[in-house]
Amino acid sequence: MDFNYSEEQNLIANAAKEFAEQYIRPHIMEWDESQHFPADVLHKAGEMGFMGVFIPEKYGGSGFGYHEYIAIIEEISKVDPSIGLSIAAHNSLCTGHIYYFGNEAQKQKWLPKLATGEWIGAWGLTEHNTGSDAGGMNTTAIKDGDHYILNGSKNFITHGRSGNIAVVIARTGEKGDSHGMSAFVVEKGTPGFASGKKEDKLGMRASETAELVFDNCRIHKDNLLGEEGEGFVQSLKILDGGRISIGALSLGISKGAYEASLKYAKERVQFGKPIASFQGISFKLADMATEIEASELLLHKSAFLKNNGEKVTTLGAMAKMFASESCVKIANDAVQIHGGYGYTKDYPVEKFYRDSKLCTIGEGTTEIQKVVISRNILK
């Protein structure tokens, strides 16, 4: 097995790194403090080919695989995880759902705008009272001739306000029935479709999170993705790939926090020598480096399975769980290595620390990943 990036993959990773340095790094704390969502940067990312990474070129995408996708999300997240999160959610959730489950007419209609970054996508599954228990959702889609009428709301939605288009899962059957939910595409400006509260968050503050609200929102049956009743099953498959996204985001945070800590530990002198020479610090760095290697291997094995059309549910859950829990631990140790300076906004580890926690929650909590893994290994 070849563990090295190809020349093309190295070029893609370097392009993402240069993009992050030029367009993101100068504004990190400004966006974080004000919770500004830089939609213009995502449009620019589209010009670079980062908004339709695995979408075929005929739909305006880059036509890359998941190894390249991990590299892009990782490099951007090493600089600002908020932007890494937004790009990941756009690719794997909204755009991915239309690509994997839309018919040809739907792909031709929506993918070129999404894959080029002209439009920013949102994806709505979670509700106020149904987080991990998504099957108990209350948002409904009632058939009315050639249309469906949507009522309800979704929360914790990335790009809930700024998104031009959303893929929304709504109940078309009985509550709790895995085949009682369907997926719909709803464009911004559709009567009855509005944005609600924007969340004030601990971390990932430059990635917009808000409600989607549906009040007798009437959409044509042509906006149904796949068949009626397939929405929840589709969502589970989308989340398989989404876990690779969050794993890549976690890996970027881990590497960013580790590299900052390694640099600081070599430069910071106490008792007449660099703190890196003290075992208490050097062992933390050793643990960080090891967990990063393990996360990377799990993620790229998951990418290999995904690229080859193999089932990735179990390994993707393992990769997401391990990488996300590791990034929280690494970010925590990074603050500790920096001491008092790590608790200030003058050093990057404070923000990595705040941003890291979302990775153990979004797109399936660590506890849900353990449910998925244990269920599959006990079959």
Side-chain angles (χ1 to χ4, degrees):
M1 185 179 292
D2 185 1
F3 291 100
N4 295 312
Y5 270 2
S6 67
E7 184 179 351
E8 182 184 46
Q9 288 167 337
N10 277 319
L11 287 171
I12 293 165
N14 286 332
K17 182 177 181 178
E18 290 172 8
F19 171 82
E21 291 294 335
Q22 181 176 353
Y23 295 103
I24 299 172
R25 189 176 294 283
H27 310 286
I28 294 172
M29 295 313 297
E30 169 198 342
W31 295 341
D32 182 75
E33 293 286 344
S34 64
Q35 290 203 92
H36 171 68
F37 172 60
D40 57 322
V41 171
L42 264 65
H43 296 315
K44 186 69 180 178
E47 294 175 19
M48 299 290 294
F50 301 153
M51 298 293 274
V53 179
F54 49 82
I55 304 301
E57 292 180 21
K58 69 176 182 176
Y59 301 120
S62 299
F64 297 144
Y66 271 78
H67 295 296
E68 292 84 356
Y69 180 52
I70 290 170
I72 290 166
I73 300 302
E74 173 194 325
E75 288 295 341
I76 291 170
S77 302
K78 281 167 66 176
V79 174
D80 189 346
S82 296
I83 309 305
L85 172 62
S86 274
I87 292 175
H90 172 94
N91 272 282
S92 69
L93 299 179
C94 178
T95 307
H97 202 137
I98 294 171
Y99 172 58
Y100 286 118
F101 297 106
N103 58 40
E104 187 59 28
Q106 291 169 332
K107 291 177 184 179
Q108 293 283 359
K109 182 177 181 180
W110 291 307
L111 286 182
K113 293 179 180 179
L114 287 163
T116 58
E118 178 185 346
W119 278 13
I120 295 171
W123 191 75
L125 178 65
T126 301
E127 298 183 3
H128 293 277
N129 297 312
T130 58
S132 297
D133 180 22
M137 67 177 59
N138 294 310
T139 299
T140 58
I142 306 299
K143 190 82 179 286
D144 181 30
D146 286 341
H147 293 78
Y148 287 87
I149 300 174
L150 273 64
N151 279 289
S153 63
K154 300 289 180 177
N155 76 325
F156 298 140
I157 308 303
T158 304
H159 311 144
R161 284 190 175 179
S162 298
N164 304 92
I165 187 172
V167 173
V168 180
I169 317 303
R171 187 160 52 83
T172 49
E174 294 300 314
K175 185 178 288 191
D177 179 4
S178 62
H179 293 283
M181 290 157 279
S182 304
F184 302 90
V185 178
V186 189
E187 294 185 22
K188 191 174 188 177
T190 302
F193 177 34
S195 299
K197 175 190 174 187
K198 179 180 176 180
E199 302 296 341
D200 187 2
K201 300 176 296 181
L202 169 72
M204 302 291 191
R205 290 168 61 82
S207 180
E208 178 186 88
T209 306
E211 287 180 311
L212 299 178
V213 180
F214 304 93
D215 182 10
N216 291 319
C217 177
R218 190 178 183 87
I219 57 172
H220 196 271
K221 65 181 182 180
D222 288 347
N223 287 36
L224 173 69
L225 291 172
E227 299 296 323
E228 186 176 296
E230 292 181 348
F232 186 65
V233 176
Q234 291 174 3
S235 296
L236 294 180
K237 293 177 180 176
I238 291 300
L239 287 171
D240 282 348
R243 286 168 185 146
I244 297 175
S245 298
I246 300 299
L249 172 63
S250 303
L251 181 62
I253 293 172
S254 293
K255 287 190 175 183
Y258 166 71
E259 289 172 9
S261 299
L262 189 64
K263 180 176 183 291
Y264 182 82
K266 289 177 177 179
E267 295 173 351
R268 173 70 165 168
V269 174
Q270 293 286 273
F271 306 103
K273 53 187 175 180
I275 63 171
S277 64
F278 297 111
Q279 191 177 80
I281 301 298
S282 64
F283 278 17
K284 286 185 188 298
L285 293 168
D287 286 340
M288 288 178 174
T290 303
E291 294 203 5
I292 285 170
E293 287 292 328
S295 298
E296 199 157 27
L297 287 168
L298 278 167
L299 281 165
H300 282 286
K301 186 174 180 182
S302 300
F304 175 81
L305 294 179
K306 186 72 174 170
N307 284 345
N308 286 279
E310 297 181 41
K311 194 169 177 62
V312 74
T313 303
T314 305
L315 197 68
M318 289 176 173
K320 194 268 188 190
M321 179 181 74
F322 186 87
S324 63
E325 290 291 339
S326 291
C327 90
V328 172
K329 181 177 179 295
I330 288 168
N332 179 65
D333 283 346
V335 172
Q336 196 71 17
I337 288 170
H338 281 71
Y341 292 110
Y343 204 66
T344 72
K345 294 182 184 293
D346 294 330
Y347 286 78
V349 294
E350 175 270 345
K351 184 174 182 298
F352 285 130
Y353 183 61
R354 288 187 290 108
D355 288 346
S356 67
K357 190 57 195 169
L358 184 276
C359 297
T360 68
I361 298 169
E363 296 195 35
T365 62
T366 293
E367 292 72 24
I368 288 296
Q369 304 313 315
K370 290 182 179 181
V371 169
V372 171
I373 295 163
S374 61
R375 186 178 290 160
N376 283 309
I377 64 175
L378 291 170
K379 276 183 180 178

